[in-house]
Amino acid sequence: MKKETSEKSSQRVTNGDWKFEEVSRSVHRVNICLPRASDEFTALLMSDIHWDNPHCKRDQLKTILDEARERNAPILDVGDFFCAMQGKWDKRASKSDIRPEHQKSNYLDSLVDTATDYLKPYADLLTLRGQGNHETAIRKHHETDLTERLTERLRAVGSPARVGGFSGFVRFFVWHNKTRQRSITYWYHHGHGGGGPVTRGVIQTNRRAVYLSDTDIVHTGHTHDSWIVPIQRIQLNKRLVVEQTRQVHVTTPGFKDEYEDGHGGWHIERGAPPKPTGAAWLRIYRPRGTQGIDFEISEAR
């Protein structure tokens, strides 16, 4: 995808050209071209937007999406873009938790229609569309897939977006001219469990590191927590040299602020704490003075 050129974006970062492709429902790849030593690549990692919920912090979401627009950063979403709990037969439905534009007899259709309009300015940046428990619940009880419907609409206006699963892999291939310099393996899972009042789910890093030993980045959501935990590792490389590598675990919080008014609701009534909001940036770059490729993850707020 060619980046938009603007004075502001060129001052912020020079993002390499990239192309997003589907290998299978659970495997995708991104080819990145970094022709100059100063070039770098940025992607936006997101989850739990709950876009149709009145408590979604849309102002903050728009600020981050606009920054992705400036950076030409592909956007990877690992599920629960929709909240979708206000259907006629949903036991969780609450009249106070539905936006006016969705108070229609074709409630689920209206979610897809309005979301498409909202996302159109970013259509060329939207890539992975993972699924969360809110989307899978709709598929189970209403026999329609909101992620599929939204992705179809986005692809109709030229988006490279593809539907992912509840979990899957993305391989980032970094090219310098016609030579591939490195690949970075990213694994996502929407997430599970309650996060934990003390550990906030960080304890899961030790469990996941065992069965994802060859993965560079582990991205989860669901618990609406925010943390970045690197795990340092050693390995014997192909030249029989011991080298250190790292695996970075990141959980993104999303944009639903259930403590916004503080007066009540399910989240507060069960004694749950306030949660952060935001996403994460993935930056792939060439460290100064080296010919290698490295990456880092930081908060997007």
Side-chain angles (χ1 to χ4, degrees):
M1 309 287 293
K2 292 292 184 180
K3 66 180 178 180
E4 290 188 351
T5 57
S6 69
E7 181 178 353
K8 187 175 182 180
S9 63
S10 64
Q11 290 175 351
R12 295 183 67 93
V13 66
T14 304
N15 214 38
D17 291 338
W18 55 269
K19 184 178 181 181
F20 178 79
E21 298 174 323
E22 180 183 68
V23 179
S24 67
R25 174 60 67 94
S26 59
V27 179
H28 297 80
R29 65 186 174 202
V30 181
N31 285 307
I32 306 162
C33 181
L34 300 180
R36 296 171 297 184
S38 59
D39 288 343
E40 57 185 53
F41 167 85
T42 304
L44 180 60
L45 311 180
M46 310 184 81
S47 68
D48 303 281
I49 294 174
H50 294 278
W51 175 82
D52 51 302
N53 192 288
H55 297 290
C56 175
K57 299 184 70 173
R58 287 194 180 183
D59 288 346
Q60 181 188 16
L61 172 62
K62 185 178 185 304
T63 296
I64 293 175
L65 291 177
D66 286 345
E67 186 169 353
R69 169 84 282 158
E70 294 170 8
R71 292 171 177 244
N72 184 43
I75 301 166
L76 289 74
D77 186 325
V78 302
D80 279 1
F81 175 83
F82 291 108
C83 204
M85 295 197 303
Q86 311 312 319
K88 186 175 182 179
W89 307 112
D90 199 318
K91 294 180 179 180
R92 304 166 297 178
S94 170
K95 292 181 179 179
S96 62
D97 285 335
I98 185 169
R99 291 179 178 269
E101 63 269 29
H102 300 141
Q103 294 180 2
K104 297 182 178 181
S105 59
N106 62 337
Y107 166 66
L108 295 177
D109 290 336
S110 73
L111 298 183
V112 175
D113 292 342
T114 53
T116 302
D117 291 339
Y118 183 88
L119 291 173
K120 274 183 181 178
Y122 315 101
D124 61 314
L125 302 178
L126 301 173
T127 56
L128 176 69
R129 308 298 302 171
Q131 303 197 42
N133 55 290
H134 282 254
E135 287 92 3
T136 58
I138 293 297
R139 188 173 66 223
K140 177 181 179 181
H141 295 291
H142 298 279
E143 298 181 332
T144 187
D145 192 320
L146 292 177
T147 307
E148 286 274 10
R149 301 288 80 74
L150 176 60
T151 303
E152 288 171 355
R153 294 288 190 88
L154 293 170
R155 290 185 62 78
V157 296
S159 174
R162 293 284 186 174
V163 177
F166 204 90
S167 70
F169 285 92
V170 178
R171 180 70 62 82
F172 294 91
F173 292 103
V174 184
W175 297 81
H176 175 67
N177 296 326
K178 296 183 178 181
T179 303
R180 193 173 78 194
Q181 294 192 301
R182 183 181 175 185
S183 66
I184 295 171
T185 302
Y186 161 96
W187 180 83
Y188 68 90
H189 187 289
H190 175 69
H192 57 88
V198 177
T199 68
R200 294 176 174 83
V202 176
I203 195 172
Q204 295 289 354
T205 61
N206 292 319
R207 300 184 176 107
R208 292 169 181 146
V210 173
Y211 62 83
L212 294 165
S213 58
D214 294 329
T215 302
D216 299 297
I217 301 165
V218 177
H219 177 203
T220 56
H222 182 64
T223 64
H224 296 208
D225 293 303
S226 178
W227 44 260
I228 301 168
V229 176
I231 296 178
Q232 203 72 4
R233 307 174 297 186
I234 60 170
Q235 65 181 22
L236 190 64
N237 67 21
K238 295 179 180 179
R239 302 187 305 276
L240 300 183
V241 175
V242 177
E243 64 180 6
Q244 293 195 30
T245 63
R246 78 188 188 284
Q247 181 182 75
V248 179
H249 295 248
V250 53
T251 282
T252 45
F255 292 86
K256 185 180 178 183
D257 182 5
E258 294 180 280
Y259 243 85
E260 189 174 17
D261 49 24
H263 74 274
W266 178 78
H267 186 82
I268 293 174
E269 288 174 11
R270 69 187 180 97
K275 296 280 189 171
T277 54
W281 296 109
L282 165 63
R283 174 177 171 247
I284 298 175
Y285 66 100
R286 183 177 291 109
R288 181 171 296 180
T290 72
Q291 295 299 313
I293 296 294
D294 207 347
F295 70 92
E296 65 180 16
I297 297 177
S298 59
E299 287 186 313
R301 297 187 62 82

